[in-house]
PDB file of all heavy atoms in Angstrom:
ATOM      1  N   SER O 382     -41.754 -42.044-118.656  1.00 71.00           N
ATOM      2  CA  SER O 382     -41.087 -40.845-119.138  1.00 71.00           C
ATOM      3  C   SER O 382     -41.990 -40.108-120.128  1.00 71.00           C
ATOM      4  O   SER O 382     -42.949 -40.667-120.645  1.00 71.00           O
ATOM      5  CB  SER O 382     -39.791 -41.260-119.839  1.00 71.00           C
ATOM      6  OG  SER O 382     -39.365 -40.320-120.756  1.00 71.00           O
ATOM      7  N   ARG O 383     -41.620 -38.850-120.425  1.00 78.00           N
ATOM      8  CA  ARG O 383     -42.389 -38.091-121.412  1.00 78.00           C
ATOM      9  C   ARG O 383     -41.723 -38.157-122.787  1.00 78.00           C
ATOM     10  O   ARG O 383     -42.212 -37.569-123.746  1.00 78.00           O
ATOM     11  CB  ARG O 383     -42.524 -36.632-120.967  1.00 78.00           C
ATOM     12  CG  ARG O 383     -43.273 -36.505-119.648  1.00 78.00           C
ATOM     13  CD  ARG O 383     -43.531 -35.081-119.287  1.00 78.00           C
ATOM     14  NE  ARG O 383     -44.316 -34.377-120.282  1.00 78.00           N
ATOM     15  CZ  ARG O 383     -45.611 -34.539-120.466  1.00 78.00           C
ATOM     16  NH1 ARG O 383     -46.281 -35.390-119.721  1.00 78.00           N
ATOM     17  NH2 ARG O 383     -46.243 -33.874-121.411  1.00 78.00           N
ATOM     18  N   ILE O 384     -40.599 -38.840-122.893  1.00 85.00           N
ATOM     19  CA  ILE O 384     -39.857 -38.851-124.150  1.00 85.00           C
ATOM     20  C   ILE O 384     -40.582 -39.559-125.302  1.00 85.00           C
ATOM     21  O   ILE O 384     -40.465 -39.145-126.457  1.00 85.00           O
ATOM     22  CB  ILE O 384     -38.451 -39.477-123.937  1.00 85.00           C
ATOM     23  CG1 ILE O 384     -37.676 -38.673-122.895  1.00 85.00           C
ATOM     24  CG2 ILE O 384     -37.657 -39.531-125.241  1.00 85.00           C
ATOM     25  CD1 ILE O 384     -37.486 -37.202-123.234  1.00 85.00           C
ATOM     26  N   PRO O 385     -41.390 -40.627-125.052  1.00 84.00           N
ATOM     27  CA  PRO O 385     -41.971 -41.346-126.186  1.00 84.00           C
ATOM     28  C   PRO O 385     -42.695 -40.449-127.189  1.00 84.00           C
ATOM     29  O   PRO O 385     -42.640 -40.681-128.393  1.00 84.00           O
ATOM     30  CB  PRO O 385     -42.957 -42.309-125.521  1.00 84.00           C
ATOM     31  CG  PRO O 385     -42.372 -42.583-124.184  1.00 84.00           C
ATOM     32  CD  PRO O 385     -41.703 -41.295-123.768  1.00 84.00           C
ATOM     33  N   ILE O 386     -43.296 -39.365-126.708  1.00 90.00           N
ATOM     34  CA  ILE O 386     -44.048 -38.491-127.633  1.00 90.00           C
ATOM     35  C   ILE O 386     -43.107 -37.883-128.680  1.00 90.00           C
ATOM     36  O   ILE O 386     -43.501 -37.612-129.809  1.00 90.00           O
ATOM     37  CB  ILE O 386     -44.801 -37.375-126.852  1.00 90.00           C
ATOM     38  CG1 ILE O 386     -45.704 -36.531-127.783  1.00 90.00           C
ATOM     39  CG2 ILE O 386     -43.881 -36.426-126.119  1.00 90.00           C
ATOM     40  CD1 ILE O 386     -46.982 -37.146-128.140  1.00 90.00           C
ATOM     41  N   LEU O 387     -41.817 -37.728-128.315  1.00 94.00           N
ATOM     42  CA  LEU O 387     -40.877 -37.103-129.263  1.00 94.00           C
ATOM     43  C   LEU O 387     -40.374 -38.067-130.328  1.00 94.00           C
ATOM     44  O   LEU O 387     -39.701 -37.674-131.273  1.00 94.00           O
ATOM     45  CB  LEU O 387     -39.696 -36.489-128.496  1.00 94.00           C
ATOM     46  CG  LEU O 387     -40.050 -35.297-127.631  1.00 94.00           C
ATOM     47  CD1 LEU O 387     -38.839 -34.793-126.868  1.00 94.00           C
ATOM     48  CD2 LEU O 387     -40.634 -34.157-128.468  1.00 94.00           C
ATOM     49  N   LEU O 388     -40.711 -39.342-130.166  1.00 93.00           N
ATOM     50  CA  LEU O 388     -40.304 -40.311-131.182  1.00 93.00           C
ATOM     51  C   LEU O 388     -41.184 -40.236-132.427  1.00 93.00           C
ATOM     52  O   LEU O 388     -40.868 -40.797-133.477  1.00 93.00           O
ATOM     53  CB  LEU O 388     -40.378 -41.746-130.627  1.00 93.00           C
ATOM     54  CG  LEU O 388     -39.069 -42.377-130.145  1.00 93.00           C
ATOM     55  CD1 LEU O 388     -38.541 -41.593-128.960  1.00 93.00           C
ATOM     56  CD2 LEU O 388     -39.283 -43.831-129.746  1.00 93.00           C
ATOM     57  N   CYS O 389     -42.330 -39.511-132.304  1.00 93.00           N
ATOM     58  CA  CYS O 389     -43.322 -39.524-133.383  1.00 93.00           C
ATOM     59  C   CYS O 389     -42.761 -39.121-134.739  1.00 93.00           C
ATOM     60  O   CYS O 389     -42.872 -39.869-135.713  1.00 93.00           O
ATOM     61  CB  CYS O 389     -44.467 -38.576-133.048  1.00 93.00           C
ATOM     62  SG  CYS O 389     -45.473 -39.180-131.732  1.00 93.00           S
ATOM     63  N   GLY O 390     -42.182 -37.917-134.807  1.00 95.00           N
ATOM     64  CA  GLY O 390     -41.695 -37.417-136.091  1.00 95.00           C
ATOM     65  C   GLY O 390     -40.684 -38.367-136.709  1.00 95.00           C
ATOM     66  O   GLY O 390     -40.860 -38.850-137.839  1.00 95.00           O
ATOM     67  N   PRO O 391     -39.590 -38.697-135.956  1.00 95.00           N
ATOM     68  CA  PRO O 391     -38.594 -39.598-136.525  1.00 95.00           C
ATOM     69  C   PRO O 391     -39.190 -40.944-136.956  1.00 95.00           C
ATOM     70  O   PRO O 391     -38.853 -41.457-138.032  1.00 95.00           O
ATOM     71  CB  PRO O 391     -37.595 -39.777-135.371  1.00 95.00           C
ATOM     72  CG  PRO O 391     -37.696 -38.505-134.596  1.00 95.00           C
ATOM     73  CD  PRO O 391     -39.136 -38.087-134.691  1.00 95.00           C
ATOM     74  N   LEU O 392     -40.097 -41.506-136.169  1.00 94.00           N
ATOM     75  CA  LEU O 392     -40.657 -42.812-136.545  1.00 94.00           C
ATOM     76  C   LEU O 392     -41.567 -42.686-137.765  1.00 94.00           C
ATOM     77  O   LEU O 392     -41.604 -43.577-138.619  1.00 94.00           O
ATOM     78  CB  LEU O 392     -41.437 -43.422-135.368  1.00 94.00           C
ATOM     79  CG  LEU O 392     -40.571 -43.949-134.224  1.00 94.00           C
ATOM     80  CD1 LEU O 392     -41.438 -44.487-133.093  1.00 94.00           C
ATOM     81  CD2 LEU O 392     -39.591 -45.036-134.694  1.00 94.00           C
ATOM     82  N   LEU O 393     -42.304 -41.582-137.858  1.00 95.00           N
ATOM     83  CA  LEU O 393     -43.157 -41.389-139.039  1.00 95.00           C
ATOM     84  C   LEU O 393     -42.291 -41.310-140.296  1.00 95.00           C
ATOM     85  O   LEU O 393     -42.637 -41.872-141.327  1.00 95.00           O
ATOM     86  CB  LEU O 393     -44.003 -40.121-138.897  1.00 95.00           C
ATOM     87  CG  LEU O 393     -45.172 -40.235-137.915  1.00 95.00           C
ATOM     88  CD1 LEU O 393     -45.837 -38.865-137.718  1.00 95.00           C
ATOM     89  CD2 LEU O 393     -46.206 -41.241-138.395  1.00 95.00           C
ATOM     90  N   HIS O 394     -41.148 -40.629-140.188  1.00 94.00           N
ATOM     91  CA  HIS O 394     -40.256 -40.540-141.352  1.00 94.00           C
ATOM     92  C   HIS O 394     -39.642 -41.906-141.682  1.00 94.00           C
ATOM     93  O   HIS O 394     -39.533 -42.268-142.840  1.00 94.00           O
ATOM     94  CB  HIS O 394     -39.144 -39.521-141.109  1.00 94.00           C
ATOM     95  CG  HIS O 394     -39.620 -38.113-141.161  1.00 94.00           C
ATOM     96  ND1 HIS O 394     -40.226 -37.574-142.283  1.00 94.00           N
ATOM     97  CD2 HIS O 394     -39.595 -37.129-140.243  1.00 94.00           C
ATOM     98  CE1 HIS O 394     -40.555 -36.316-142.042  1.00 94.00           C
ATOM     99  NE2 HIS O 394     -40.187 -36.023-140.812  1.00 94.00           N
ATOM    100  N   ARG O 395     -39.243 -42.633-140.634  1.00 92.00           N
ATOM    101  CA  ARG O 395     -38.536 -43.889-140.875  1.00 92.00           C
ATOM    102  C   ARG O 395     -39.487 -45.021-141.238  1.00 92.00           C
ATOM    103  O   ARG O 395     -39.178 -45.852-142.093  1.00 92.00           O
ATOM    104  CB  ARG O 395     -37.736 -44.320-139.628  1.00 92.00           C
ATOM    105  CG  ARG O 395     -36.570 -43.426-139.257  1.00 92.00           C
ATOM    106  CD  ARG O 395     -35.478 -43.378-140.289  1.00 92.00           C
ATOM    107  NE  ARG O 395     -34.876 -44.652-140.609  1.00 92.00           N
ATOM    108  CZ  ARG O 395     -33.641 -45.018-140.277  1.00 92.00           C
ATOM    109  NH1 ARG O 395     -32.863 -44.184-139.626  1.00 92.00           N
ATOM    110  NH2 ARG O 395     -33.172 -46.190-140.635  1.00 92.00           N
ATOM    111  N   LEU O 396     -40.646 -45.074-140.562  1.00 90.00           N
ATOM    112  CA  LEU O 396     -41.498 -46.259-140.677  1.00 90.00           C
ATOM    113  C   LEU O 396     -42.923 -45.968-141.124  1.00 90.00           C
ATOM    114  O   LEU O 396     -43.695 -46.887-141.382  1.00 90.00           O
ATOM    115  CB  LEU O 396     -41.581 -46.963-139.311  1.00 90.00           C
ATOM    116  CG  LEU O 396     -40.254 -47.384-138.682  1.00 90.00           C
ATOM    117  CD1 LEU O 396     -40.456 -47.762-137.238  1.00 90.00           C
ATOM    118  CD2 LEU O 396     -39.643 -48.559-139.453  1.00 90.00           C
ATOM    119  N   GLY O 397     -43.289 -44.708-141.137  1.00 92.00           N
ATOM    120  CA  GLY O 397     -44.656 -44.346-141.549  1.00 92.00           C
ATOM    121  C   GLY O 397     -45.675 -44.462-140.428  1.00 92.00           C
ATOM    122  O   GLY O 397     -46.852 -44.159-140.622  1.00 92.00           O
ATOM    123  N   GLU O 398     -45.266 -44.903-139.252  1.00 92.00           N
ATOM    124  CA  GLU O 398     -46.206 -44.949-138.129  1.00 92.00           C
ATOM    125  C   GLU O 398     -45.470 -44.881-136.790  1.00 92.00           C
ATOM    126  O   GLU O 398     -44.277 -45.162-136.707  1.00 92.00           O
ATOM    127  CB  GLU O 398     -47.054 -46.221-138.177  1.00 92.00           C
ATOM    128  CG  GLU O 398     -46.248 -47.483-138.000  1.00 92.00           C
ATOM    129  CD  GLU O 398     -47.142 -48.721-137.846  1.00 92.00           C
ATOM    130  OE1 GLU O 398     -48.265 -48.601-137.347  1.00 92.00           O
ATOM    131  OE2 GLU O 398     -46.672 -49.796-138.222  1.00 92.00           O
ATOM    132  N   ALA O 399     -46.222 -44.489-135.759  1.00 91.00           N
ATOM    133  CA  ALA O 399     -45.655 -44.433-134.406  1.00 91.00           C
ATOM    134  C   ALA O 399     -46.758 -44.780-133.411  1.00 91.00           C
ATOM    135  O   ALA O 399     -47.939 -44.534-133.678  1.00 91.00           O
ATOM    136  CB  ALA O 399     -45.130 -43.025-134.122  1.00 91.00           C
ATOM    137  N   PHE O 400     -46.358 -45.393-132.280  1.00 87.00           N
ATOM    138  CA  PHE O 400     -47.331 -45.677-131.220  1.00 87.00           C
ATOM    139  C   PHE O 400     -46.789 -45.087-129.928  1.00 87.00           C
ATOM    140  O   PHE O 400     -45.639 -45.317-129.563  1.00 87.00           O
ATOM    141  CB  PHE O 400     -47.548 -47.185-131.065  1.00 87.00           C
ATOM    142  CG  PHE O 400     -48.445 -47.505-129.912  1.00 87.00           C
ATOM    143  CD1 PHE O 400     -49.820 -47.372-130.045  1.00 87.00           C
ATOM    144  CD2 PHE O 400     -47.922 -47.888-128.685  1.00 87.00           C
ATOM    145  CE1 PHE O 400     -50.653 -47.619-128.969  1.00 87.00           C
ATOM    146  CE2 PHE O 400     -48.746 -48.128-127.597  1.00 87.00           C
ATOM    147  CZ  PHE O 400     -50.123 -48.004-127.747  1.00 87.00           C
ATOM    148  N   ILE O 401     -47.630 -44.317-129.258  1.00 84.00           N
ATOM    149  CA  ILE O 401     -47.186 -43.641-128.040  1.00 84.00           C
ATOM    150  C   ILE O 401     -48.018 -44.122-126.857  1.00 84.00           C
ATOM    151  O   ILE O 401     -49.240 -43.954-126.842  1.00 84.00           O
ATOM    152  CB  ILE O 401     -47.401 -42.107-128.176  1.00 84.00           C
ATOM    153  CG1 ILE O 401     -46.756 -41.576-129.450  1.00 84.00           C
ATOM    154  CG2 ILE O 401     -46.882 -41.367-126.950  1.00 84.00           C
ATOM    155  CD1 ILE O 401     -45.280 -41.883-129.576  1.00 84.00           C
ATOM    156  N   PRO O 402     -47.371 -44.731-125.858  1.00 76.00           N
ATOM    157  CA  PRO O 402     -48.133 -45.183-124.679  1.00 76.00           C
ATOM    158  C   PRO O 402     -48.507 -44.001-123.797  1.00 76.00           C
ATOM    159  O   PRO O 402     -48.108 -42.869-124.064  1.00 76.00           O
ATOM    160  CB  PRO O 402     -47.109 -46.081-123.952  1.00 76.00           C
ATOM    161  CG  PRO O 402     -45.789 -45.503-124.321  1.00 76.00           C
ATOM    162  CD  PRO O 402     -45.926 -44.953-125.716  1.00 76.00           C
TER     163      PRO O 402
END
Side-chain angles (χ1 to χ4, degrees):
S382 157
R383 298 186 59 75
I384 301 302
I386 186 78
L387 292 178
L388 261 64
C389 289
L392 288 178
L393 286 173
H394 287 301
R395 293 296 301 250
L396 303 167
E398 64 172 331
F400 175 79
I401 307 303

